[in-house]
Amino acid sequence: MTKETRRLVAEMSVGMSLYVLALALLAVIFRSILAAAGFSLYPVLLGLAAGLAASVIMLVHMSLVAEKALDSRDEAYANRITVIHSVVRKVVLVAILFLLGASRKVDIVAMALALFGLKAGAFLQPAVHRVFARFRRNAKEYTISQERREAYEDDGASDD
């Protein structure tokens, strides 16, 4: 995996973790409402953790498949490998959902909600990227324009 892809996966994983942490915090705050609805707190938290783990594993797998497809430089092969791996990923996920659902120790609804963390991670990635960029550069005002100038060795004349 390239350095840029690893950074992107890490930034998305932080966004996914923040999303699942917010869900866990809500579950703890509203545990009495969850109990009244028939949900125990411990299985809900385990479901959220399992969903986060599954999301991160799926994200890493998607990035590896995407890079493999790009490196092939063959459109037919890239399409075929992407579809095959996507189907395999979904089949494995459904199998894990059934296995964990049968155990009754992990709440499947919470796991399904945590799987939406992939979307949340994608939406939060630009904000996480900006925060990480500020820490890396120790700059007070680090904008996307400045990042583009550094990445593409631009003098800033194209910002207009």
Side-chain angles (χ1 to χ4, degrees), residues 19-36:
Y19 168 77
V20 171
L21 185 64
L23 288 178
L25 186 61
L26 288 172
V28 169
I29 291 170
F30 297 113
R31 78 180 100 185
S32 59
I33 295 172
L34 283 174

Side-chain angles (χ1 to χ4, degrees), residues 39-51 96-111:
F39 295 99
S40 298
L41 182 63
Y42 185 68
V44 168
L45 294 177
L46 279 178
L48 291 173
I96 290 171
L97 281 170
F98 277 121
L99 288 173
L100 291 177
S103 73
R104 301 282 184 203
K105 293 180 181 179
V106 177
D107 187 65
I108 299 306
V109 174
M111 187 174 174

Side-chain angles (χ1 to χ4, degrees), residues 3-120:
K3 180 180 176 182
E4 292 82 16
T5 304
R6 280 194 305 269
R7 189 189 78 218
L8 180 67
V9 167
E11 290 170 353
M12 284 184 65
S13 296
V14 168
M16 292 185 312
S17 299
L18 291 173
Y19 168 77
V20 171
L21 185 64
L23 288 178
L25 186 61
L26 288 172
V28 169
I29 291 170
F30 297 113
R31 78 180 100 185
S32 59
I33 295 172
L34 283 174
F39 295 99
S40 298
L41 182 63
Y42 185 68
V44 168
L45 294 177
L46 279 178
L48 291 173
L52 176 62
S55 295
V56 171
I57 290 169
M58 288 191 318
L59 176 64
V60 169
H61 184 256
M62 284 187 279
S63 65
L64 291 171
V65 170
E67 282 195 346
K68 185 176 181 180
L70 285 171
D71 288 342
S72 73
R73 299 190 188 272
D74 179 15
E75 184 179 349
Y77 174 77
N79 189 27
R80 185 173 56 248
I81 195 169
T82 303
V83 169
I84 290 170
H85 281 278
S86 175
V87 170
V88 168
R89 198 170 38 249
K90 289 175 182 148
V91 167
V92 168
L93 179 64
V94 168
I96 290 171
L97 281 170
F98 277 121
L99 288 173
L100 291 177
S103 73
R104 301 282 184 203
K105 293 180 181 179
V106 177
D107 187 65
I108 299 306
V109 174
M111 187 174 174
L113 285 173
L115 288 171
F116 286 115
L118 272 170
K119 295 285 186 191

Side-chain angles (χ1 to χ4, degrees), residues 124-137:
L124 291 172
Q125 186 273 331
V128 172
H129 178 76
R130 283 191 295 274
V131 170
F132 281 1
R134 283 189 183 144
F135 282 122
R136 278 195 309 269
R137 309 265 195 294

